[in-house]
Amino acid sequence: MSSTHHSVGVMLPRDLPPHDFLPFARRAEELGFHDLWVVEDLGYRGGIAQAAAALAATSRIRVGIGLLPVGSRNPGFAAMEIATLAQLFPGRLDVGVGHGMPHWMRSVDAWPASPLTLLEEYITAVRELLRGKNVQSDGRYVRLDGVGLEPSAIPSAVPDVLAGVRGPKSLAVSGRVADGTILAEPTAPEYVREALGHIASHRPHRVVAYNVAAVDADPAVAIAAVRPALEWIGEPDWSAHIGALPFADAFRDLRSQCTSRTEFTRRMPDAWVAELALAGTPEQVRARLTALREAGVTNSVLVPVGENPLAALTSLAPVL
């Protein structure tokens, strides 16, 4: 579902030094970004703990968790954590959940036989719990025997629960049961339109789009800055992001010719990089953000690049 609303947020780097974490969150708020998104990748930092710290250190900016793998937490206890944050910081929390990267989840013995079933059962249960319902569920994975939040724990402002997914069947699950969908980078307008076709939601549905980003008065400098951050996108897991693009066949051909991700990234034409990231002058990046909004994105999330995240954050602000 398309929307005229569009906000611009920024992602907090997963490997940000601990002494920069709170300054980054505060600076994002100072600069006027609408959202700050934290990630939960295996071996880095926990999403709920990061969100709590960022919310406590700021006063206005929304904080999104993108995303919590559904195989890692019991939905009853996940709902308690989410509800607590929503009560303490009303109206400032968004929560993304998803399958998690298969190899990560298998490494901790948390990859289900039917990821789609778990995702649907999990989102349904968590959303009902957050709304104060007593949940009786005897699903394949989610089994709750009359579980509910106590009245004192039910948030007055229920946060949206979004699904961070990419495959057609997973997108359809998101459209059925989630409040929105998080699309990982790279997210071009063509990919958004294709994803919305699979989502096919019959109620309001947000679309959060991640993209690596760099802004500079010299477009070539911005293109060079984001190029290294795109090294993963030629791998099979990212094929869904590429298929709708006009250069998809040439993209796949080039990747097959390259012996490494580094070589592939180096050989990508600048024109492709400009389509796969938000990179250029402030005016050029604003034009890309407009194209994403027109395709149906409600929240664009800029992923900063470079060795100095705080400097990168500041350099992105002119697009606001």
Side-chain angles (χ1 to χ4, degrees):
M1 177 177 294
S2 180
S3 172
T4 56
H5 171 75
H6 186 243
S7 66
V8 179
V10 66
M11 183 180 291
L12 190 147
R14 65 182 184 180
D15 56 355
L16 193 68
H19 59 268
D20 285 339
F21 185 100
L22 297 182
F24 188 100
R26 294 184 183 117
R27 183 63 173 148
E29 180 170 83
E30 279 177 19
L31 291 169
F33 287 98
H34 184 266
D35 329 305
L36 175 72
W37 288 79
V38 299
V39 296
E40 180 171 274
D41 289 344
L42 184 62
Y44 290 87
R45 296 186 178 115
I48 292 170
Q50 289 184 84
L55 285 162
T58 56
S59 60
R60 175 197 56 78
I61 198 168
R62 291 179 70 91
V63 174
I65 306 173
L67 49 80
L68 304 175
V70 294
S72 64
R73 290 176 183 82
N74 176 280
F77 286 94
M80 288 168 53
E81 297 278 7
I82 295 165
T84 300
L85 288 178
Q87 278 195 321
L88 295 175
F89 307 99
R92 295 179 56 205
L93 178 68
D94 293 311
V95 180
V97 301
H99 303 303
M101 295 299 286
H103 63 285
W104 290 343
M105 302 310 291
R106 290 189 179 102
S107 75
V108 295
D109 193 28
W111 186 252
S114 177
L116 291 169
T117 302
L118 172 56
L119 183 70
E120 186 154 3
E121 291 180 357
Y122 195 98
I123 293 174
T124 300
V126 168
R127 290 185 75 250
E128 290 180 349
L129 288 166
L130 292 174
R131 283 160 175 76
K133 295 183 180 179
N134 190 277
V135 179
Q136 189 76 35
S137 174
D138 188 25
R140 181 172 176 180
Y141 297 104
V142 175
R143 297 174 183 173
L144 300 175
D145 185 8
V147 173
L149 296 175
E150 293 297 320
S152 63
I154 298 169
S156 58
V158 178
D160 283 346
V161 178
L162 304 96
V165 290
R166 57 164 58 99
K169 293 180 180 179
S170 298
L171 290 167
V173 169
S174 181
R176 285 197 298 274
V177 300
D179 298 303
T181 300
I182 300 171
L183 300 176
E185 69 279 12
T187 301
E190 295 91 340
Y191 175 46
V192 174
R193 286 188 283 267
E194 183 175 73
L196 282 168
H198 296 300
I199 291 167
S201 181
H202 297 294
R203 57 192 177 91
H205 191 92
R206 293 169 58 192
V207 176
V208 178
Y210 293 171
N211 275 298
V212 295
V215 176
D216 195 276
D218 183 347
V221 172
I223 292 288
V226 298
R227 185 182 290 275
L230 297 174
E231 68 169 5
W232 297 97
I233 65 171
E235 304 310 300
D237 283 342
W238 276 260
S239 60
H241 300 248
I242 307 301
L245 296 173
F247 53 86
D249 290 339
F251 180 97
R252 285 187 284 264
D253 287 345
L254 177 61
R255 183 64 187 94
S256 69
Q257 298 167 22
C258 298
T259 58
S260 68
R261 292 192 295 266
T262 302
E263 179 191 356
F264 172 66
T265 306
R266 177 175 53 79
R267 292 178 57 185
M268 270 200 299
D270 285 355
W272 294 6
V273 176
E275 294 291 317
L276 296 166
L278 297 175
T281 67
E283 293 77 15
Q284 289 172 326
V285 173
R286 281 196 290 267
R288 289 292 290 173
L289 289 169
T290 297
L292 287 166
R293 176 185 61 78
E294 291 173 346
V297 169
T298 56
N299 300 73
S300 281
V301 180
L302 312 184
V303 182
V305 296
E307 296 181 0
N308 187 333
L310 280 167
L313 174 64
T314 301
S315 74
L316 295 174
V319 307
L320 297 174

